[in-house]
Amino acid sequence: MKKTTQHTYLALHDGTAFPAFGLGTWKPQGEDLYRAVRVALDAGYQHIDCAAIYGNEDVIGRALSDAFTAGDVGRDDVWITSKLWNTEHARAAVRPALEKTLAALHLDYLDLYLMHWPVAMRPGVLRPKSADDFVSLTDLPLEETWAAMAVLRDAGLTRQMGVSNFTAAKIRHLHATTDIMPAVNQVELHPYLAQDELLAACREMGVILTAYSPLGTPDSGELFRRDDPFKVLDDEVIAGIAAAHSVSPGQVLIAWAQQRGTAVIPKSTNEGRIRENVAAAAIELTDADMNAIAALDRRHRYIDGRFWCPEGSPYTLASLWDE
Ligand SMILES: NC(=O)c1ccc[n+]([C@@H]2O[C@H](COP(=O)([O-])OP(=O)(O)OC[C@H]3O[C@@H](n4cnc5c(N)ncnc54)[C@H](OP(=O)(O)O)[C@@H]3O)[C@@H](O)[C@H]2O)c1
C-alpha cells in the first residue's frame, strides 16, 4: 500500500482501528466514479463509503478488483462501508440486500454495514410519492432490522454494524432493545450543522460519528431542486482560515471534522480535489480557528429528510430528528 499521506484512525468500541477519512460516492456513476476510486486508492485513501441506493456499487466493485489485481492495495488495506436501504428493513430482506451489495462490490465481507435511515419503505418503492409507500416503525421496528443485521455480522458478512441519520434517542432505543450498540453513526456534519450535543452523546455511548456532506453537498441542490442560500464552502470565516494556512476552504472543513474526532467522507471525482482532500489531514487548526468555526453553527440541514414526510406519512420531521 502506498504511504503517501498521513492517516488518522478512530478506535471503535471494540478497539478496531477505523480509518477516519474516506471517499464519498453518492451521485457519480460510470467512468467518472471508476477513475475517482482508482485515483483515491492511489492517493492513499483507506476508506470508501458506498450505499446500495447510490446505484453504483458495481462500478466501485470493478475499480476495487482492478486495484487489487494491479497490486495497488490489498483487501485488508481498505475499509469498505455500505448501507441497507429503507425498502429492505424486513427481517427476510436484510440478508439478500447485503449479499447483493457484496456481489456488486466483488467482496466477501464489508467492514461496516449501516442502516441508511431510521425509515422503512415498502419493497420496490424507488422514490416515495405518497404516505402509502412507507411502513411505520410500529409495524416494522428498527430493532427488528438491527437484529437481522447482527445475524449477518455473526455470519462474517460484515465486520462492524452501524447506523446513519440516527438521533441519540434512537441509538439508545436500539441498544436498550437488542443490547447491541452501533459502532458508528453516519450523519450530516459541517460547521453550519455542528451537532455538538449528538457528538457528545455518541462519545459517551462509545459511538463514532462519521461526517457526511462535510462540504455542504454543493452538487446535490439540483437533485433536490433547491438553491441553498447558505453555502458553507463559501463562508468568509472559512475562507479567512484557509488563506491563513495557505490551504483551500474544502481542506479547512475536512481538517475541522478530523480535529473534532469524527470520521469524514468528502465526495470528489476531480483528481486534484481527491488528492487535496486527503492531504487535509496534515493541517493543524489552532484553538482560535476551532472557536471561530464553532461560532458558525446555524443548525442548518442540507439533507433534512423532508422527502420521508409527505402528507399522511408515519414519519414527520419532528419524529425523524426527535425534536
Ligand atoms: N448516510 C447518508 O444519508 C448520506 C447522505 C449524504 C451523503 N452521504 C455520504 O457522504 C458523502 C459526501 O457527501 P456529499 O456527496 O453529499 O457532499 P460533499 O462531500 O459535502 O460535497 C461534494 C461536492 O463538493 C465538491 N468538492 C469536493 N472536494 C472539494 C474541495 N476540496 N473544494 C471544493 N469543492 C469540493 C465536489 O465536486 P467534485 O466532485 O467536482 O470535486 C462535490 O460537488 C457522499 O458522497 C456519501 O458517500 C451519506
Side-chain angles (χ1 to χ4, degrees):
M1 158 123 209
K2 291 190 180 117
K3 295 279 179 205
T4 49
T5 38
Q6 181 174 324
H7 287 292
T8 311
Y9 300 91
L10 294 166
L12 299 181
H13 51 33
D14 67 353
T16 298
F18 175 47
F21 178 84
L23 180 73
T25 65
W26 175 37
K27 292 156 288 190
Q29 304 283 339
E31 199 52 25
D32 278 356
L33 176 62
Y34 177 89
R35 288 296 327 149
V37 174
R38 294 298 300 270
V39 167
L41 294 173
D42 179 68
Y45 281 55
Q46 294 183 318
H47 176 173
I48 313 283
D49 182 72
C50 314
I53 191 63
Y54 301 163
N56 56 13
E57 289 189 316
D58 56 330
V59 177
I60 298 168
R62 192 160 51 80
L64 286 174
S65 52
D66 287 354
F68 297 156
T69 305
D72 296 353
V73 286
R75 173 66 186 92
D76 291 344
D77 301 322
V78 52
W79 179 285
I80 307 294
T81 299
S82 185
K83 313 184 191 91
L84 176 76
W85 190 235
N86 306 349
T87 47
E88 317 301 321
H89 274 211
R91 196 175 314 175
V94 175
R95 189 182 187 114
L98 176 49
E99 285 174 346
K100 198 169 167 196
T101 274
L102 288 172
L105 289 169
H106 301 245
L107 297 177
D108 302 327
Y109 68 92
L110 291 179
D111 295 278
L112 175 63
Y113 200 38
L114 305 177
M115 199 188 313
H116 205 145
W117 283 88
V119 169
M121 294 179 344
R122 297 202 182 283
V125 171
L126 199 58
R127 291 216 161 72
K129 289 185 188 70
S130 76
D132 295 342
D133 291 335
F134 293 91
V135 182
S136 76
L137 295 184
T138 313
D139 291 340
L140 183 37
L142 296 172
E143 56 270 29
E144 194 173 312
T145 309
W146 189 236
M149 289 171 69
V151 171
L152 303 186
R153 182 198 50 187
D154 296 346
L157 271 61
T158 182
R159 294 200 164 157
Q160 302 285 340
M161 47 197 280
V163 294
S164 178
N165 298 296
F166 269 53
T167 60
K170 288 190 175 67
I171 294 176
R172 283 193 201 98
H173 173 80
L174 270 194
H175 185 235
T177 48
T178 62
D179 210 24
I180 305 165
M181 190 60 100
V184 168
N185 184 19
Q186 184 181 122
V187 294
E188 180 178 343
L189 271 189
H190 43 71
Y192 286 177
L193 184 69
Q195 308 224 52
D196 291 330
E197 303 85 357
L198 180 64
L199 180 58
C202 283
R203 197 161 274 158
E204 201 160 292
M205 293 187 283
V207 177
I208 296 291
L209 285 189
T210 294
Y212 81 58
S213 301
L215 310 175
T217 195
D219 56 347
S220 57
E222 208 174 305
L223 196 74
F224 294 124
R225 291 194 211 92
R226 60 163 164 68
D227 184 19
D228 212 296
F230 310 116
K231 296 190 168 59
V232 70
L233 256 179
D234 297 343
D235 188 278
E236 281 178 16
V237 171
I238 302 293
I241 294 171
H245 289 269
S246 303
V247 299
S248 73
Q251 288 180 303
V252 171
L253 297 175
I254 293 164
W256 172 81
Q258 292 190 307
Q259 251 169 265
R260 286 176 95 215
T262 66
V264 59
I265 48 170
K267 168 262 167 187
S268 181
T269 49
N270 172 282
E271 174 156 5
R273 288 190 286 277
I274 290 172
R275 293 183 187 279
E276 174 186 320
N277 291 348
V278 69
I283 299 167
E284 286 184 29
L285 299 175
T286 64
D287 288 348
D289 295 334
M290 293 300 283
N291 291 338
I293 298 174
L296 300 178
D297 191 10
R298 48 170 87 215
R299 294 178 181 260
H300 179 70
R301 290 183 194 278
Y302 294 102
I303 301 181
D304 64 7
R306 69 181 56 233
F307 28 84
W308 310 139
C309 312
E311 210 179 319
S313 164
Y315 302 91
T316 62
L317 289 183
S319 71
L320 197 55
W321 305 119
D322 294 315
E323 281 167 352

